[in-house]
Amino acid sequence: MEGSPLLRRQDAELPCDFARLPLVALGSRVTARFGMRHALAACLCVLVPSSAQRFAVELDSPPDARWDDIAPLYRAPYSAAISSLTADPEKRLVVQLVEAALRASPSLAARIYPGDLMAEFASLGRGLNVSAERVAANALLYDLTAGRRGDGSSARACTGVVAQLANGQVLHGRNLDYGSADQLKPLAILVDFKRGGRVQFTATVFAGMATFNTVQKAGGCASLSPWSLSQNERDQGDVRSNWLRLLSGSAPATFAQIRRGSLVCVS
């Protein structure tokens, strides 16, 4: 995150041998460019603030109750982060329009957020004391802001790095380049998504979101190999065309697609 202090890995119970991994700390605004947009690797070195908490979300529980124990803990920092992220009048207006569209058209909401996600946003909204549609609209800030602006400049965020040690072990690191870093850091958490009492996958999540763009799993999609995925910067496409794509319901939200893909990989 922009302006963030040194980040460290979370060691507790991650499904790969982090005791053997050196610390990977990515500085703000990594300038190196890598050809891969989505990186698969043997282990994901999740980088989060040292104060980040770890939680479990039970996929066997009713979706409208899955975040009930987590969301209330982040009510104040969530409000502060959203106020900072939507301080720009244009961003604030777009989020309000999207919220109204989600409330007016449940079918549109289901296309943007397939499966159980809108029900999960109801759980989040109840804990954060805001509507499910507002929480869901706030969770679209990446899709609403990432891309090429009208003046030709890029709204970029995030870089992933994959490296291999001499012994063949693969490291997957990433940073999250967002504004309002001081407000977002308190929301960074690790979430184990469980089913049948077993961890299906682990994601780095901002509290208040049911979706994510950084995830890892001990077992692979079609083999026994571990896998990890991080979604990096978007520097193509026009921001306003992203708005039209969302409001037409032509494709799910980016982070929702990643969560859906993670479920497919473990099913």
Side-chain angles (χ1 to χ4, degrees):
M1 298 179 188
E2 184 177 356
S4 64
L6 183 67
L7 304 178
R8 70 173 178 85
R9 68 177 186 267
Q10 283 279 344
D11 295 313
E13 299 181 3
L14 285 179
C16 58
D17 186 6
F18 278 88
R20 299 174 54 204
L21 300 185
L23 175 65
V24 178
L26 304 181
S28 175
R29 302 291 181 189
V30 175
T31 56
R33 289 289 177 261
F34 297 87
M36 62 193 73
R37 293 286 177 175
H38 298 85
L40 296 177
C43 281
L44 173 61
C45 191
V46 181
L47 300 180
V48 295
S50 58
S51 59
Q53 299 296 305
R54 187 167 192 150
F55 299 95
V57 167
E58 299 289 346
L59 297 175
D60 294 322
S61 299
D64 61 355
R66 289 174 184 166
W67 299 86
D68 284 1
D69 294 334
I70 302 173
L73 303 175
Y74 292 91
R75 187 174 296 171
Y78 179 83
S79 178
I82 294 302
S83 295
S84 178
L85 288 167
T86 59
D88 177 81
E90 184 178 39
K91 289 182 182 178
R92 186 165 58 250
L93 176 60
V94 171
V95 169
Q96 291 170 348
L97 291 173
V98 171
E99 177 189 4
L102 294 175
R103 181 174 291 109
S105 177
S107 63
L108 172 64
R111 290 196 298 275
I112 295 175
Y113 287 116
D116 296 338
L117 287 174
M118 282 306 298
E120 291 195 20
F121 281 120
S123 174
L124 286 164
R126 190 165 53 249
L128 296 169
N129 201 27
V130 295
S131 71
E133 292 81 10
R134 171 52 67 93
V135 181
N138 289 338
L140 289 171
L141 276 170
Y142 174 81
D143 288 284
L144 295 174
T145 60
R148 191 165 294 279
R149 299 188 179 97
D151 61 4
S153 62
S154 293
R156 298 177 173 177
C158 309
T159 302
V161 176
V162 175
Q164 188 171 29
L165 302 181
N167 64 4
Q169 190 170 31
V170 177
L171 309 181
H172 182 181
R174 64 110 81 256
N175 72 334
L176 298 171
D177 275 339
Y178 290 109
S180 304
D182 288 339
Q183 289 74 33
L184 281 171
K185 279 185 290 185
L187 298 180
I189 59 176
L190 289 177
V191 178
D192 293 320
F193 290 85
K194 293 184 174 182
R195 178 172 285 141
R198 300 184 62 181
V199 176
Q200 302 298 299
F201 51 85
T202 298
T204 304
V205 179
F206 288 120
M209 295 180 65
T211 56
F212 46 77
N213 68 345
T214 307
V215 59
Q216 59 116 16
K217 175 68 171 65
C221 291
S223 70
L224 297 178
S225 301
W227 59 266
S228 65
L229 184 149
S230 66
Q231 174 262 340
N232 297 330
E233 69 173 45
R234 174 187 291 162
D235 55 10
Q236 297 178 352
D238 179 72
V239 171
R240 290 176 177 81
S241 68
N242 294 343
W243 302 348
L244 293 175
R245 177 180 64 85
L246 283 173
L247 294 176
S248 68
S250 60
T254 301
F255 291 8
Q257 293 187 67
I258 293 172
R259 172 157 170 184
R260 183 170 62 172
S262 300
L263 288 167
V264 169
C265 281
V266 301
S267 63

